[in-house]
Amino acid sequence: MQIKTVFAGFGGQGVLMMGYSLAHAAMNEGLHVTYLPSYGAEVRGGTANCTVAVSDEEIASPVASQPDFIIAMNGPSLMAFQTRIAPGGAFFLNSSIIEGRPNRTDVSLFEIPAAGIASDLGSPRVQNVVMMGAYVKATRLVSADTYLKSLKSILGGRKKAAMEINRKAFAAGYDTID
Amino acid sequence: MKKVFSRPKSLKNVAFHYCAGCGHSITHRLICDAVDQLGIRGITIGVPPAGCAVLAYNYFDMDMLEAPHGRGCAVATGIKRTLPDRVVFSYQGDGDLAAIGTAETFHAANRGENITVIFINNAVYGMTGGQMAPTTLLGMTSTTSPPGRSAILDGHPIRMSEILAQLDGATYIERCAVNTPQNILRAGRAIRKAFQYQMDGVGFTMIEVLSQCPTNWKMTAAESCRWVDEVMAQTFPVGVIKDIGKGERHAD
Amino acid sequence: MDKTLISGNWACGEAAIRAGCRFYAGYPITPQNELTEYMAEHMRQAEGGTFIQAESEIAAVNMVLGASAAGARAMTSSSSPGISLKQEGISALAADELPAVVVNMMRGGPGLGNILPSQGDYFQATRGGGHGDYRTIVLAPSSVQELADLTMDAFDLADAYRNPVMILGDGMTGQMMEPVVFGKPRPRHYSEKYVLKGSGEGKSRFIRALILDALRMEEHNWKLVRKYTVIAQKEVRFETFRTGNAKLVIIAYGIAARIAKGAINRLRDSGYKVGLIRPITLWPFPAQIIRDTAERIGKFLVFEMSTGQMLEDVQLALEGRARVSFYGRPGGVVPTPAELAKAIVQEYQR
Ligand SMILES: Cc1ncc(C[n+]2csc(CCOP(=O)(O)OP(=O)(O)O)c2C)c(N)n1
Ligand code: SF4
Ligand SMILES: [Mg+2]
């Protein structure tokens, strides 16, 4: 098993944190994992992305030429990555703000209104964690329990309230998948 | 209807890659305006730096030769001495000009090289992601001065214009800003005057531009424009720092 | 053991501090800025630690020269264009026989090039890089864990041989995060007699590289060579991977070696007998294992993210004993294991 996921969106959407939290959880499940951020000039212009590879054996390349999963938090990310996704892979779209849909027919599509759900929870910033809830449920790469533990240790010293809203966001995203 | 505003001919019709509110874009435009007004596009050669402006040749529709980081004044010297009748300018950031390239800049000025330097002071290393620059203000945080710049550990902000003005080879040095319409107009006139001095063969000229970097200052564009006046200009006062006066007829 | 998910740049900084590094000078350059930034934050907190953002890479390496002579475990880091500027200081460190660790997270070149992972600085790193007859020990990690371990080892090697040690990573090694278990801090073994502290009348000493007398300069050169010979005998490191019954052996280092492992695993699954030799020290180069392997195996393929530099060391090691081919992607391109596998199959079937 080797699964590569690309997380992409605007700078402020917490995209790198999504990848980091997945990588952290995968590490805590004893899996091999690599996390590779986009860096340098790519970051100017306000978009960000990162690639996480999770595997039960050593990972050769941290780069994903054909990612299995793509989490697109905004429209430009969908455009940028839709040609690269592996056949049989899956898209997770932040459907509250992305109008377009992938032009690929050989992949699955999860439409998660992450931004909308986060606003309803009163905290637009946690749209990334909403999306992670859906992602964790749908992919089963890591358990919800491990993920939440990792999230807690990443948030670290921050207030209890912060963890509470993140926990709610995760649960709301988790419930979008049956 | 009379057209009062248009893209300078020397500026290519492509979108800038600079962040919204960045001072680089405004300054590019001012340089191109000056080149157009003086009718020197065909004889102008620019030297862009390593820095956020590393892709300047995508915007300036004139010959350009990229310099290694900090070496702009040396590269420009080589061009100018080979082609003395061309107008040669280097375009450099504060890290480029006042850290790694201090020696080249200092000695080009001291030799009175007949070149013009456009010095973009944004008090930070923009391109590499917000590290401390030689011009970073005391107390200002950056990724390499996380608690804020400390005079004891990190030294003081360098006023390059004042330092270079001490050198006999420097003829005209002015510090400008591009944060308000008036300041932009003044900066444009200063750049034109510097090119004029060069065409008259007077010697080394430099225009320092206090330039907004909203991204690394972590401000909105409007906040960063205010910050230039309210904070940055306290350490780097704008105005003419040296003018030997030879080019008086060109003054505004 | 607690694992930390950490980027290569940070892991390198953390490992250095754990190894007792107390002096760091650097200058920003992508893709190693996070190492400089890590040091800016943590070196100031380490007891007796000094962080300086120098005005240039030349200044940074010369600060390290001074700190090393004054007895600090000292380090500087940069990426390709900045490493070119450091060559003056590296040559001086080697001449003065002073320990120091220099990190190069290579990027695409020549010139300003780009900021993507590349392996174009192999010649510069392994041939000394600066002027004069000298050698630098060069360590090439292929994972963040190995980067952390080699960083700690680098300080010990630098002390043991009083010589600069270079860690040769690339943009990928620096930027990617992997789980790491950090090694334990080790005591330093470095004689005080090499440290300038001020000694006073009759006991004053000096460290210098200028030796005007030709015979003495020659003797200094031979003395360095004797040291390099010991290093070459004792410090060679490499890894072999699935070379057992191989018909073709890939030779690759750093990130390229990981990609090669991926390609090899795929090919083994479809019955191709391929393996890997991964040099961990690039100087001293593991020539002997390559020669030994050539007794059994007639085909080698060198894979580098360059136009072919280590290739020459492999050819020198083999002296025509086996067939050597090359596959390379320079300029910041990172090929996939599948792409490399194709190139390997072509050579395999030749
Ligand atoms: C020898 C060398 N060292 C470091 C770098 C990396 N580098 C590129 S631009 C830059 C500094 C950018 O800051 P500044 O000159 O202030 O320009 P700005 O981006 O702020 O406009 C640095 C350190 C390089 N290209 N070459
Ligand atoms: S980082 Fe700063 S200097 Fe660079 S383009 Fe953005 S605003 Fe301009
Ligand atoms: Mg700057």
Side-chain angles (χ1 to χ4, degrees), chain B residues 8-82:
Chain B
K9 289 208 170 51
S10 308
L11 192 63
K12 289 181 191 166
N13 191 6
V14 292
F16 287 124
H17 73 283
Y18 301 110
C19 310
C22 175
H24 276 297
S25 351
I26 306 167
T27 311
H28 280 20
R29 195 199 150 87
L30 294 178
I31 294 170
C32 289
D33 270 335
V35 166
D36 284 358
Q37 284 160 12
L38 295 168
I40 52 173
R41 171 147 61 137
I43 58 163
T44 300
I45 303 172
V47 180
C52 279
V54 70
L55 299 176
Y57 44 74
N58 286 341
Y59 313 123
F60 288 84
D61 196 359
M62 58 190 77
D63 284 358
M64 299 208 106
L65 170 60
E66 172 191 286
H69 188 28
R71 317 296 177 220
C73 281
V75 170
T77 296
I79 299 171
K80 186 73 183 190
R81 295 281 184 121
T82 308

Side-chain angles (χ1 to χ4, degrees), chain C residues 208-218:
Chain C
R208 57 89 164 86
L210 178 87
I211 306 175
L212 290 173
D213 180 79
L215 288 177
R216 283 194 188 185
M217 188 73 235
E218 184 188 28

